[in-house]
Amino acid sequence: MPGPEQPARPDGRPERTAKGPPGKNTGDADDTGACENSDTGRRPSGPALAQGAHMTQPGPGVMPGLEPPTAPGPDGPAGSERPAALRPQLEVFLARHEEELVAFRRDLHMHPELGYDEHRTTARIAERLRMAGLEPRILPKGTGLFCDLGPGDGPTVALRADIDALPLQDEKEHAPYRSTVPGVAHACGHDVHTTMVLGAGLFLAQQAEAGLLPGRVRLLFQPAEETPGGALDVMAAGGIAGVDRAFALHCDPRIEVGELGLRSGPITAACDKVYVKVTGPGGHTARPHLTADLVYALAKIVTELPAALSRRVDPRSSLSLVWGRVSAGSVANAIPDDGVAEGTVRCLDDEAWHRAPEMMKALLQSVAAAYDVEASLEYVRGVPPTVNEAASVQMFRDAAAQVLDEEGVVPTPQSLGGEDFGWYLESIPGALARLGVRTPGSPGEYDLHRGDFDVDERCIPVGVRVLAATALTALWDGARPADPETVEGATLS
């Protein structure tokens, strides 16, 4: 159980202690238990403009998005002093529920399910929410759900988790919670994401019951993030209807437990697939002038398209085309009559992402015509870039200041990996943060989407603290300033 409330600082926040392990280690838990920035010259457009998601340029020598945290003033963002008793309340909650949450995560880890097959996972989440007196709504396809808590007459904030696993073999041979499903594993931390949102939801449900929420919190448990497509299913089912902001955490094995990685602007990239087919009259390699020399033409397409694309957009968009498979012909002395190239397009800018298919189609036709071949393009949309709104990132920072230690917030770089949370941020403002899951001082390199991926489970209570505090901070900031009773009722005590 936590000790007595810490003495308040002049700004009303508790004094923070020296950095230490973020919570107790519950490794012996039962495996089967229940559970506006300055402008860079590029004008955002469409959804990015609507959410104020400008790329930042804080000054010489500072990369956009990596600016240091801005400390809130003594009166807080809304202009009136906030109580500072959230951290002790969270410690009381976690003292009662941390072992249960760790056991819940281990249960999910032992029973991973691929996208749109998360029936057991969905049932386990719904069961625990109903135990807390909540009413989850299962998505139409039968996997994934969302659940509201708190009054509906104020702002609404969404906390999102993804629940699907990966088609990988779990290689953690000595872990008691190793996957029991051959060829399927939670190698991206979605079991952790689910558990943290569940834990934050259970805590916030208690706050709602006590009348301490000035608005509504919506818990989104999304299927099929890896497929991808689950975010679109949530949206089609009304999952973000009426939501003012959305927040999510993603495990990051490069960051230590107890740290939160933040960045304004693009944090992950769009990721699309492209399939190019080239056809033309084949022939003998001794007489290429009598054919279209299809292999040579395909080679030109493979080399010239990425270079041409990079000159058609602002280089700060980081639009890149990289080929993963090129195939043509079967023997050395015959020019084939068809060939293919497959690759991915990645981009950090929403506007450039929307323009990419038409740009690529035009460039492809231009190169193909020069070599007298026919070329077709199949462009498969994946996910948009995840563009963090600066105000939402600040809410993460303000929340972390209440529940983490002094060094808890760290800058995090952009990634060209895809994350379908970006679909939500096309419609509403919000932010994705990276949660440290690496044991402090541990040797070696770790990454996601590996069969040996695992987390230091002390990250779970850290994530619960951050998500709960962020939801409360966003609701508090979103309350109507002219309504003193609403603001007064939105206390964090």
Side-chain angles (χ1 to χ4, degrees), residues 174-190:
H174 302 294
Y177 47 85
R178 183 186 183 191
S179 171
T180 61
V181 183
V184 183
H186 273 293
C188 197
H190 293 189

Side-chain angles (χ1 to χ4, degrees), residues 38-100:
S38 58
D39 197 56
T40 60
R42 176 178 54 171
R43 291 178 58 83
S45 63
L49 179 61
Q51 65 178 277
H54 295 211
M55 294 183 70
T56 58
Q57 184 63 42
V62 182
M63 291 185 65
L66 296 182
E67 64 274 12
T70 302
D75 292 334
S80 58
E81 188 173 353
R82 303 188 187 196
L86 175 61
R87 188 165 185 170
Q89 285 194 46
L90 279 165
E91 298 311 315
V92 171
F93 172 83
L94 288 168
R96 296 172 181 167
H97 295 282
E98 183 175 341
E99 291 189 9
E100 175 199 356

Side-chain angles (χ1 to χ4, degrees), residues 261-315:
L262 296 180
R263 181 184 184 88
S264 297
I267 187 169
T268 68
C271 182
D272 303 330
K273 293 182 180 179
V274 294
Y275 180 91
V276 173
K277 184 174 182 179
V278 181
T279 59
H284 200 290
T285 56
R287 292 175 288 279
H289 59 292
L290 300 179
T291 74
D293 200 352
L294 186 137
V295 173
Y296 188 85
L298 181 59
K300 282 293 189 180
I301 289 171
V302 167
T303 55
E304 291 187 13
L305 249 64
L309 274 174
S310 70
R311 295 300 183 269
R312 294 288 295 272
V313 298
D314 189 323

Side-chain angles (χ1 to χ4, degrees), residues 90-460:
L90 279 165
E91 298 311 315
V92 171
F93 172 83
L94 288 168
R96 296 172 181 167
H97 295 282
E98 183 175 341
E99 291 189 9
E100 175 199 356
L101 292 172
V102 170
F104 190 91
R105 177 260 169 171
R106 292 187 172 196
D107 178 65
L108 297 186
H109 200 87
M110 292 174 67
H111 303 91
E113 297 171 306
L114 298 177
Y116 295 121
D117 194 35
E118 313 98 328
H119 295 283
R120 182 186 184 277
T121 303
T122 299
R124 295 282 287 114
I125 299 166
E127 175 188 34
R128 186 61 185 89
L129 292 172
R130 292 188 185 108
M131 288 174 57
L134 301 173
E135 299 180 359
R137 294 175 54 187
I138 309 297
L139 298 182
K141 290 184 180 179
T143 66
L145 58 93
F146 61 90
C147 182
D148 288 346
L149 52 96
D153 56 351
T156 299
V157 172
L159 302 178
R160 174 267 203 172
D162 34 18
I163 67 175
D164 57 325
L166 284 162
L168 290 175
Q169 185 66 31
D170 193 336
E171 299 175 1
K172 301 186 297 296
E173 296 182 0
H174 302 294
Y177 47 85
R178 183 186 183 191
S179 171
T180 61
V181 183
V184 183
H186 273 293
C188 197
H190 293 189
D191 54 332
V192 177
H193 304 166
T194 299
T195 303
M196 294 187 299
V197 170
L198 175 65
L202 295 177
F203 173 79
L204 292 168
Q206 293 183 0
Q207 297 288 97
E209 187 176 359
L212 298 177
L213 292 186
R216 180 170 54 193
V217 176
R218 179 166 297 166
L219 311 177
L220 301 177
F221 296 94
Q222 176 204 308
E225 189 277 331
E226 299 288 356
T227 303
L232 297 178
D233 293 321
V234 170
M235 295 168 71
I240 63 169
V243 173
D244 298 294
R245 272 192 171 84
F247 298 92
L249 293 180
H250 198 295
C251 292
D252 191 334
R254 298 165 300 178
I255 302 176
E256 293 186 351
V257 173
E259 295 180 336
L260 183 71
L262 296 180
R263 181 184 184 88
S264 297
I267 187 169
T268 68
C271 182
D272 303 330
K273 293 182 180 179
V274 294
Y275 180 91
V276 173
K277 184 174 182 179
V278 181
T279 59
H284 200 290
T285 56
R287 292 175 288 279
H289 59 292
L290 300 179
T291 74
D293 200 352
L294 186 137
V295 173
Y296 188 85
L298 181 59
K300 282 293 189 180
I301 289 171
V302 167
T303 55
E304 291 187 13
L305 249 64
L309 274 174
S310 70
R311 295 300 183 269
R312 294 288 295 272
V313 298
D314 189 323
R316 290 169 294 184
S317 300
S318 297
L319 178 67
S320 68
L321 166 61
V322 179
W323 303 105
R325 186 176 84 90
V326 179
S327 177
S330 57
V331 295
N333 62 344
I335 296 174
D337 55 15
D338 65 69
V340 298
E342 295 178 80
T344 59
V345 173
R346 298 178 187 270
C347 182
L348 290 170
D349 178 71
D350 190 77
E351 181 180 357
W353 177 67
H354 283 287
R355 293 172 51 210
E358 289 303 318
M359 283 194 297
M360 187 170 176
K361 182 178 180 180
L363 291 169
L364 175 62
Q365 296 305 322
S366 175
V367 177
Y371 296 95
D372 200 24
V373 296
E374 296 291 329
S376 63
L377 171 66
E378 181 182 355
Y379 195 103
V380 181
R381 280 293 192 197
V383 296
T386 299
V387 183
N388 282 348
E389 184 216 24
S392 297
V393 173
Q394 187 62 47
M395 292 175 186
F396 260 132
R397 287 187 177 124
D398 292 343
Q402 299 173 67
V403 297
L404 298 184
D405 293 324
E406 291 283 0
E407 300 84 6
V409 173
V410 297
T412 191
Q414 292 171 335
S415 167
L416 288 180
E419 163 59 69
D420 79 353
F421 188 68
W423 282 118
Y424 303 115
L425 302 193
E426 284 256 291
S427 300
I428 56 176
L432 172 77
R434 296 196 174 112
L435 185 77
V437 299
R438 180 185 180 126
T439 301
S442 61
E445 293 295 326
Y446 299 89
D447 205 353
L448 303 167
H449 289 217
R450 286 177 35 163
D452 60 351
F453 172 79
D454 204 357
V455 304
D456 184 325
E457 291 176 320
R458 292 178 294 174
C459 70
I460 294 173

